[in-house]
């Protein structure tokens, strides 16, 4: 199975900060990479898929990028509603695999 | 608007079979070009993909579950089902059903876009 190594696991930031979260795939996944946001007690929400495409209704402060097997989710200016846990997911091959998650906390 | 709702027993005894149903509205489980997945999340931990069924009925499962999983669809009820046999405490989790991504232009994929609210299943005697 493809291993998705996500970093950091925890991130402390303030409103207005630029936040970057990274996922590294253990092998190539093309652009078959998505980013999810999950708030406590809620199902994950798809933000970006494939690697660069913002899903409908997602604020433009979110963006996805890639360089080889390294993928990045950037929040340009963190808003209060962005404090959450973020996961990457590769669906290039089965089994689908998630990164371990990044919890973005209020500094 | 695609909506999914998981249902089933909240408590299952060790060694027994976990059985969940996902009722879908706003889309047909057996038509179109969609991937329907089950995903789980133990309390305070990350997400694990369990498996998926395509609208044709073909399935893929996570090998980590060692052949204990069966995903099927009941077209007449517009439902999906998940069966996980020989459960242990390690199978205690919130279980989600989800429908894969599509771009409204004919392309689709497994990455879940629409999710149910999830249902907690506890394995305990």
């Amino acid at each position: 199975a493809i291993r998705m190594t996500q970093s950091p696991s925890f991130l402390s930031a303030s409103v207005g900060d630029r936040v970057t979260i990274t996922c590294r795939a253990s092998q190539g996944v093309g652009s078959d990479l998505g980013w999810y946001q999950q708030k406590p007690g809620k199902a994950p929400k798809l933000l970006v898929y494939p690697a660069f495409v913002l899903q409908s209704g997602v604020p433009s402060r979110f963006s996805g990028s890639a360089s080889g097997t390294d993928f990045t989710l950037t929040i340009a200016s963190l808003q209060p509603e962005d404090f959450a846990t973020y996961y990457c997911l590769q669906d290039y091959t089965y089994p689908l695999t998630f990164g371990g998650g990044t919890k973005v906390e209020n500094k | 608007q695609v909506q999914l709702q998981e249902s089933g027993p909240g408590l299952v005894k060790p060694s027994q079979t976990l059985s969940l149903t996902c009722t879908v509205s706003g889309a047909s489980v057996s038509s179109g070009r969609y991937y329907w997945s089950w995903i789980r999340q133990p309390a305070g931990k990350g997400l694990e993909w369990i498996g998926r069924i395509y609208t044709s009925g073909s399935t893929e499962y996570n090998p980590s579950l060692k052949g204990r999983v069966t995903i099927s669809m009941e077209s007449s009820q517009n439902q999906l089902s998940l069966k996980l046999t020989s459960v242990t405490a390690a199978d205690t989790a919130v279980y989600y059903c989800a429908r894969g991504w599509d771009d409204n232009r004919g392309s689709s994929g497994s990455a879940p876009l629409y999710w149910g609210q999830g249902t907690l299943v506890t394995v305990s005697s």
Side-chain angles (χ1 to χ4, degrees):
Chain A
I2 295 177
R3 185 174 61 254
M4 304 301 297
T5 303
Q6 190 171 339
S7 61
S9 298
F10 295 93
L11 190 160
S12 185
S14 301
V15 172
D17 285 353
R18 182 181 181 87
V19 168
T20 299
I21 300 167
T22 298
C23 258
R24 172 168 290 175
S26 61
Q27 63 190 75
V29 298
S31 60
D32 294 340
L33 187 287
W35 289 99
Y36 291 84
Q37 176 193 68
Q38 188 180 32
K39 296 183 177 179
K42 300 294 187 181
K45 174 186 176 182
L46 183 61
L47 302 175
V48 175
Y49 186 86
F52 323 102
V53 179
L54 211 60
Q55 289 296 299
S56 175
V58 176
S60 59
R61 63 181 179 273
F62 291 91
S63 64
S65 63
S67 176
T69 57
D70 290 343
F71 297 84
T72 299
L73 175 71
T74 299
I75 309 172
S77 177
L78 194 68
Q79 298 301 300
E81 59 269 30
D82 300 336
F83 293 106
T85 301
Y86 294 84
Y87 295 93
C88 63
L89 167 75
Q90 69 80 21
D91 78 331
Y92 179 77
T93 190
Y94 294 111
L96 307 193
T97 45
F98 288 91
T102 297
K103 186 173 184 179
V104 178
E105 298 180 320
N106 196 351
K107 184 183 290 184
Chain B
Q1 177 81 358
V2 180
Q3 294 185 315
L4 303 95
Q5 178 70 59
E6 305 88 350
S7 59
L11 181 64
V12 181
K13 289 182 166 52
S15 80
Q16 294 191 342
T17 297
L18 179 160
S19 295
L20 295 176
T21 298
C22 175
T23 301
V24 178
S25 59
S28 170
V29 299
S30 57
S31 63
R33 298 169 61 181
Y34 300 121
Y35 297 85
W36 304 89
S37 287
W38 285 93
I39 296 126
R40 69 181 183 179
Q41 184 172 37
K45 296 190 177 180
L47 298 158
E48 179 183 30
W49 179 80
I50 297 170
R52 68 91 173 134
I53 187 166
Y54 189 54
T55 48
S56 65
S58 69
T59 53
E60 293 280 351
Y61 300 121
N62 194 329
S64 69
L65 293 166
K66 297 182 175 61
R68 297 190 293 131
V69 181
T70 303
I71 296 174
S72 60
M73 62 172 63
E74 179 54 64
S75 302
S76 62
Q77 302 291 324
N78 211 35
Q79 293 177 332
L80 308 166
S81 74
L82 169 70
K83 293 190 187 302
L84 181 65
T85 62
S86 304
V87 298
T88 70
D91 296 308
T92 294
V94 173
Y95 285 76
Y96 295 100
C97 60
R99 199 206 82 179
W101 161 89
D102 78 293
D103 65 358
N104 293 317
R105 296 193 298 272
S107 295
S108 63
S110 296
L113 173 59
Y114 298 101
W115 295 66
Q117 66 185 25
T119 188
L120 174 62
V121 179
T122 301
V123 178
S124 174
S125 55

